[in-house]
Amino acid sequence: MKKLFLVLAVAALSFSTAIAQDAAAAAPAEEATVENAEAAPVAEEAVVEEAVVDPEVQIAGESLHHVLMQKFLEGGWGWMLPILIVLVLGLAIAIERILFLGLSTINTKKFIAQVEKALNEGGIEAAKAVCRDTKGPIASIYWQGLDRYEQGLDAVEKAVVSYGSVQTGQLESGLGWLSLFIALSPSLGFMGTVVGLVQSFDSIQAAGDISPALVAGGMKVALLTTLLGLIAAMVLQVFYNYVIVKIDGIVNEMEDASITLMDILTVYKK
């Protein structure tokens, strides 16, 4: 949860910094325009010509965050902000899962070789020490199995299976929220679309006439909210699939390592 709040704070700080930079960049530009108008009144025709050409240059030279902020405000912050919050929360969960899974990944073959060597040289306690000093779910499963060696191989097998399920649940923690945010993003976008269309029809009804100017505002809200919702859903879906594939790989390694542990203990008991 602390990591989640940290990510949200960084996102909010970045957004406020972008607004401050835009305001700071706009102020000198306005001052320079006023000074040029006072110092060179004779060059009005040249200024007019430049004004005709400059808009294309200005549009091409606008920063990405300025364009995104402008579209965000045009879409209506009341509908765009919930989608943005859902996107930030989903990314926070996805990044936390990716970091957790990265820390849970080890060189399984090397770890098994170390456990087997320690078991043959120093017995169960030496093997448990290797598991205790190694991170990840596989090491935890091995420790649980070795800790019940005195109770027999059947107890070891039950402990490995049970604790394997616990470790799998820990790996999949947070995925339910991530899938919820994937479903919410386009739903919020479509809701903004419906509201924008309703606003357009209300404007037409109030004016008693169909005019592009009346419909444009509502349609812009509809299209921008839908666009942001679909983008958020696609981004979160990519992260979700990556996490699922990573979890499947770790679970397969856990199952293979569990079978190897039972084989090692069977040979050790003989």
Side-chain angles (χ1 to χ4, degrees), residues 23-255:
E30 293 178 357
E31 294 177 358
T33 304
V34 175
E35 291 177 358
N36 292 335
E38 294 177 354
V42 184
E44 292 181 355
E45 296 181 358
V47 173
V48 172
E49 293 178 358
E50 291 180 357
V52 174
V53 180
D54 281 344
E56 297 181 358
V57 179
Q58 290 177 356
I59 292 174
E62 285 182 348
S63 59
L64 178 61
H65 67 81
H66 178 74
V67 175
L68 293 176
M69 184 181 64
Q70 182 180 0
K71 295 301 180 183
F72 180 85
L73 295 176
E74 289 177 356
W77 66 270
W79 295 106
M80 301 286 274
L81 185 60
I83 302 175
L84 183 62
I85 292 175
V86 168
L87 175 60
V88 172
L89 291 175
L91 288 177
I93 294 175
I95 293 173
E96 187 272 335
R97 283 292 89 190
I98 291 173
L99 294 176
F100 180 83
L101 295 175
L103 295 175
S104 300
T105 304
I106 61 174
N107 189 336
T108 306
K109 294 182 179 179
K110 181 179 179 181
F111 169 72
I112 294 175
Q114 292 175 349
V115 171
E116 187 174 7
K117 180 180 179 182
L119 184 64
N120 294 328
E121 295 179 355
I124 297 296
E125 294 300 325
K128 288 170 64 177
V130 174
C131 299
R132 191 182 301 110
D133 297 335
T134 306
K135 61 184 180 180
I138 297 178
S140 299
I141 292 173
Y142 268 47
W143 191 94
Q144 293 292 333
L146 292 171
D147 190 50
R148 290 164 176 78
Y149 176 76
E150 298 297 334
Q151 302 175 15
L153 293 181
D154 291 337
V156 172
E157 185 177 1
K158 291 180 180 179
V160 168
V161 172
S162 300
Y163 205 70
S165 300
V166 173
Q167 290 295 319
T168 303
Q170 292 180 359
L171 293 175
E172 296 175 349
S173 176
L175 292 184
W177 288 105
L178 188 57
S179 61
L180 173 63
F181 294 149
I182 293 174
L184 276 180
S185 298
S187 299
L188 291 173
F190 294 147
M191 184 180 294
T193 300
V194 173
V195 172
L197 294 176
V198 170
Q199 292 176 352
S200 299
F201 286 114
D202 287 342
S203 300
I204 294 173
Q205 183 180 9
D209 188 16
I210 299 179
S211 173
L214 295 175
V215 183
M219 290 300 297
K220 180 179 289 186
V221 174
L223 295 176
L224 289 176
T225 53
T226 302
L227 177 62
L228 182 60
L230 293 176
I231 291 176
M234 288 187 293
V235 171
L236 295 180
Q237 186 67 54
V238 170
F239 280 96
Y240 178 81
N241 286 2
Y242 175 81
V243 171
I244 289 295
V245 171
K246 190 72 174 178
I247 291 175
D248 289 341
I250 295 177
V251 170
N252 290 333
E253 290 184 358
M254 288 166 50
E255 294 176 352

